[in-house]
Amino acid sequence: MRIAAFHSQLDMKRGSSLAFLNTAIALKERGHDVHAYSFAVDDWYRSILDGAGIPSTSMDHHHLEPLGVHLILTNNRRARGVFTRLNGMIADADVAYLHGNQWTPQGLPVLDLPRAYYCDEPPRHYYEPDLVNVTVRKKLGKAMGALSRSRDRESDRRAVRTADQVATNSHYTRDYIERVYGIDATTVYLGVDLSLIHI
């Protein structure tokens, strides 16, 4: 299949981004034609994707956090605009694979092809209490974001429910997804590269 694979941030080495990278490579190794898309793709990710024969496209959308402050409502709208542009770029794909992170769910109701959504977890800033709130920047961001939080949480719920298939990494998270979204997700464990494991 021709797979348009999307992760919002391929510019940091963290769990969700690395899981996406390895999933894209595994899909390519299984004979699929994979093209990776992201708001930002740095040189490290691009070189690994290139080495695996996976082209990557950065959407050059560097203003989702103006002044470093997470303005949720504004950013969700901006993200949907990017996905509207992406829709025209992936018209020849058979399926879109969206790996959950930050603004990724906003693409689900926008894209016009079958959508598989891998949800590592529902966004914490919507559904979990904030027990530690110590930095000035975080306090400022939360104060500004609180104005739209309820509406954005509902937007997130509506968006995820439009996915054709939702998968996640554990039974615990599957139960969490059911509580938050009312969706029966499929548990698909993250793979392990056995060539890297020495016992």
Side-chain angles (χ1 to χ4, degrees):
M1 295 197 317
R2 293 166 298 179
I3 301 173
F6 184 89
H7 189 285
S8 64
Q9 293 177 298
L10 295 180
D11 57 356
M12 291 183 249
K13 294 178 187 175
R14 55 192 200 181
S16 178
S17 305
L18 295 171
F20 169 85
L21 175 69
N22 285 286
T23 299
I25 292 171
L27 289 169
K28 177 69 175 179
E29 289 174 346
R30 283 161 177 74
H32 299 291
D33 182 8
V34 182
H35 191 127
Y37 297 86
S38 180
F39 292 142
V41 183
D42 72 12
D43 292 340
W44 187 81
Y45 281 98
R46 193 179 304 281
S47 67
I48 293 175
L49 289 166
D50 285 349
I54 300 172
S56 58
T57 299
S58 173
M59 303 301 293
D60 295 324
H61 197 70
H62 303 297
H63 305 292
L64 284 169
E65 291 195 354
L67 305 179
V69 177
H70 187 69
L71 303 177
I72 296 174
L73 178 61
T74 302
N75 290 336
N76 279 350
R77 288 179 177 164
R78 288 175 174 168
R80 284 192 292 272
V82 175
F83 283 113
T84 299
R85 280 197 294 127
L86 179 62
N87 214 13
M89 299 170 66
I90 64 173
D92 63 341
D94 297 311
V95 64
Y97 167 73
L98 293 91
H99 196 108
N101 178 261
Q102 203 85 351
W103 302 285
T104 301
Q106 297 305 314
L108 291 167
V110 175
L111 300 179
D112 293 330
L113 67 168
R115 294 140 309 182
Y117 180 56
Y118 194 89
C119 181
D120 292 308
E121 63 179 353
R124 295 178 192 173
H125 55 278
Y126 291 153
Y127 304 109
E128 295 182 13
D130 187 10
L131 303 179
V132 180
N133 189 3
V134 293
T135 68
V136 172
R137 176 177 162 180
K138 187 174 180 185
K139 287 180 180 179
L140 175 62
K142 282 186 68 66
M144 298 173 78
L147 299 174
S148 63
R149 192 165 311 283
S150 176
R151 191 184 324 174
D152 290 326
R153 184 168 47 240
E154 196 51 43
S155 172
D156 178 68
R157 284 194 179 112
R158 284 195 308 269
V160 172
R161 288 171 182 159
T162 66
D164 296 292
Q165 181 68 50
V166 178
T168 191
N169 52 36
S170 70
H171 292 316
Y172 173 86
T173 309
R174 185 191 66 187
D175 292 343
Y176 185 13
I177 288 170
E178 185 172 11
R179 289 196 307 272
V180 167
Y181 299 120
I183 289 173
D184 185 17
T186 301
T187 300
V188 179
Y189 297 114
L190 294 174
V192 176
D193 185 348
L194 296 179
S195 69
L196 301 178
I197 306 299
H198 303 283
I199 300 177

